[in-house]
Amino acid sequence: MGTVKRRRGASSLVLLCAMAILTAPGLATGMAYAAPSAPATPGAPTAPTPPASPRDPAAPLPGPGGKSLEQVRKEIDELYRQAGTATDAYNLAEAETKAQSEKIVEIANLVVAGQERITTLKSRAGAAARAQYRSGGLPPGAQLALSDSPGQFLDGAGRLRQGEKAASDLLSELSRTQSELQRYAQEASDRWKTLEANRIKQEDSKKQIQEKIKAAEELESKLEAEEKARLIQLEQEAQYKAQTAWLSTGAMKDVNGKATDAGKRAVQFATAQMGKPYEWGAEGPSSFDCSGLTSQAWLAAGRGIPRTSQEQLRLLPKVALKDMRPGDLIIYFDDATHVGMYVGDGAMVHAPRPGRNVTMAGAGSMPIKAVVRPDA
């Protein structure tokens, strides 16, 4: 399949609704996906005319609340944003819980090994004590006087000194091993406390997620079928408006980086998940949350990266927007609670929120906090 010629401005926006991009070869290379009809004014992006709305989105909806559809959209969006924040906290607590559990198992193995070592050392110490008892415990002067051979005595005395040093070393090792066991016990206790704290965090975050999602679903369930369809259209229009404003700043003017081989594999994995549902805490294979998608995509590309968007921001190298290339991760919002993968030409793939599927969207359709690079 031939590569479609790149166009800036309006051409970058058409990919938001053109499903043909699913199989376009340009996803991993940064080439354009589709070319719309030329704008009336050269260089000026032209937005498609939205379909006629059955109701003005600013008009109050029927019912005691008296909210407009646009107000409902914003309220639902904010609830899902809050659920996304709680999801990141849940995922981080889950990762920390797993790490603490693994550490506790490691400490338990050290304790077992230490106890076995102490048993061996005590056995050796007992054998040394019994040997000394059998020698009668006579002072060296008496042993010399009673010995038939002074040379044999002196030789034995040398071995005795060696034995005393060995016994001293044995007792030192026994004491050191006992100290290590005490330290392991304290560390295990601390790890258990941290583990329990993380479990509490998980439960609290889980409760918040469920409450926010339930509230959003209840709001949406009150809408008529026609209003639900219009709600989706309003979401798309809001994203389109944000993307248009972002492009108008010239943000994509100098962005033309090429994907690395690993970046191509990550993009191919991420785009292959398009159409699968969002599910908080999910890492595939049938559903994903936003950071579950990006972390699994890079794992498929051979690079392990942090699980959450906040940790991805904190631990991965940051790159300037102008240096962005396919495969890089775009972190969104001030609290870094959403992430998408840049695929080229001003587009990214992401798992948006509950009730939506993994999809393509404009890279500037949400407020960008930073761009990070897993394969720097």
Side-chain angles (χ1 to χ4, degrees):
M1 183 183 299
T3 304
V4 183
K5 184 178 180 181
R6 178 188 303 273
R7 291 190 182 182
R8 294 294 181 189
S11 61
S12 298
L13 304 175
V14 175
L15 56 88
L16 302 183
C17 58
M19 293 307 295
I21 58 178
L22 291 174
T23 56
L27 292 178
T29 61
M31 299 305 291
Y33 307 101
S37 56
T41 304
T46 55
T49 303
S53 172
R55 175 183 282 121
D56 182 352
L61 293 170
K67 297 177 181 177
S68 70
L69 190 58
E70 177 61 13
Q71 287 174 322
V72 171
R73 181 195 71 77
K74 289 181 178 178
E75 190 171 343
I76 289 174
D77 187 60
E78 179 57 26
L79 285 167
Y80 280 126
R81 278 266 301 112
Q82 293 173 10
T85 301
T87 297
D88 222 43
Y90 175 90
N91 289 336
L92 182 58
E94 184 178 46
E96 289 177 345
T97 297
K98 181 180 178 182
Q100 296 297 339
S101 298
E102 291 172 350
K103 190 63 180 177
I104 288 171
V105 171
E106 181 184 329
I107 293 171
N109 291 332
L110 290 172
V111 169
V112 170
Q115 289 173 335
E116 290 175 350
R117 181 64 178 158
I118 283 179
T119 299
T120 300
L121 291 171
K122 284 182 176 180
S123 177
R124 287 171 53 192
R130 288 190 296 272
Q132 186 178 14
Y133 176 79
R134 285 194 298 269
S135 72
L138 293 173
Q143 292 185 34
L144 175 60
L146 295 173
S147 175
D148 295 332
S149 170
Q152 185 179 8
F153 167 77
L154 293 173
D155 182 56
R159 287 197 299 272
L160 180 62
R161 283 193 296 271
Q162 291 175 357
E164 288 174 344
K165 183 179 185 306
S168 176
D169 291 345
L170 186 150
L171 292 173
S172 294
E173 185 176 354
L174 180 60
S175 176
R176 184 171 60 252
T177 304
Q178 288 174 329
S179 295
E180 287 178 348
L181 282 178
Q182 291 175 349
R183 179 167 56 84
Y184 293 153
Q186 182 60 51
E187 186 177 355
S189 176
D190 293 342
R191 296 279 180 177
W192 275 112
K193 290 177 183 176
T194 304
L195 182 67
E196 184 60 24
N198 283 329
R199 284 177 176 160
I200 292 173
K201 285 181 189 176
Q202 272 185 279
E203 289 303 314
D204 288 346
S205 296
K206 181 178 180 180
K207 183 179 179 181
Q208 289 180 42
I209 293 165
Q210 292 171 333
E211 287 176 351
K212 299 302 181 183
I213 291 177
K214 182 180 178 181
E217 288 175 343
E218 286 178 352
L219 266 177
E220 199 163 353
S221 69
K222 295 175 183 177
L223 301 176
E224 301 293 336
E226 183 181 278
E227 291 165 343
K228 289 179 181 178
R230 178 61 178 141
L231 185 68
I232 294 174
Q233 184 182 18
L234 288 175
E235 288 178 6
Q236 294 171 342
E237 289 172 357
Q239 293 172 5
Y240 183 94
K241 183 179 180 180
Q243 174 77 348
T244 302
W246 181 65
L247 289 174
S248 69
T249 66
M252 290 296 299
K253 180 181 177 182
D254 300 317
V255 179
N256 56 8
K258 301 297 182 183
T260 61
D261 288 341
K264 290 177 183 178
R265 292 193 297 272
V267 169
Q268 287 165 357
F269 178 94
T271 53
Q273 312 313 310
M274 290 174 65
K276 293 182 179 180
Y278 177 103
E279 181 182 356
W280 62 268
E283 298 177 88
S286 57
S287 58
F288 297 86
D289 64 19
C290 65
S291 57
L293 176 66
T294 54
S295 59
Q296 288 301 304
W298 271 103
L299 186 62
R303 302 290 179 96
I305 65 172
R307 169 65 176 88
T308 70
S309 56
Q310 291 175 339
E311 289 295 280
Q312 288 169 3
L313 172 66
R314 187 172 72 88
L315 298 175
L316 297 179
K318 297 178 180 62
V319 297
L321 187 65
K322 65 181 180 61
D323 298 323
M324 187 166 59
R325 68 191 186 199
D328 286 347
L329 306 183
I330 306 175
I331 309 295
Y332 293 99
F333 303 111
D334 287 340
D335 55 1
T337 50
H338 192 71
V339 60
M341 179 179 291
Y342 183 63
V343 296
D345 288 318
M348 59 91 174
V349 62
H350 71 147
R353 65 165 177 81
R356 299 291 182 262
N357 298 331
V358 176
T359 188
M360 199 81 70
S365 57
M366 291 173 285
I368 295 175
K369 182 174 181 66
V371 178
V372 296
R373 178 162 294 164
D375 63 338

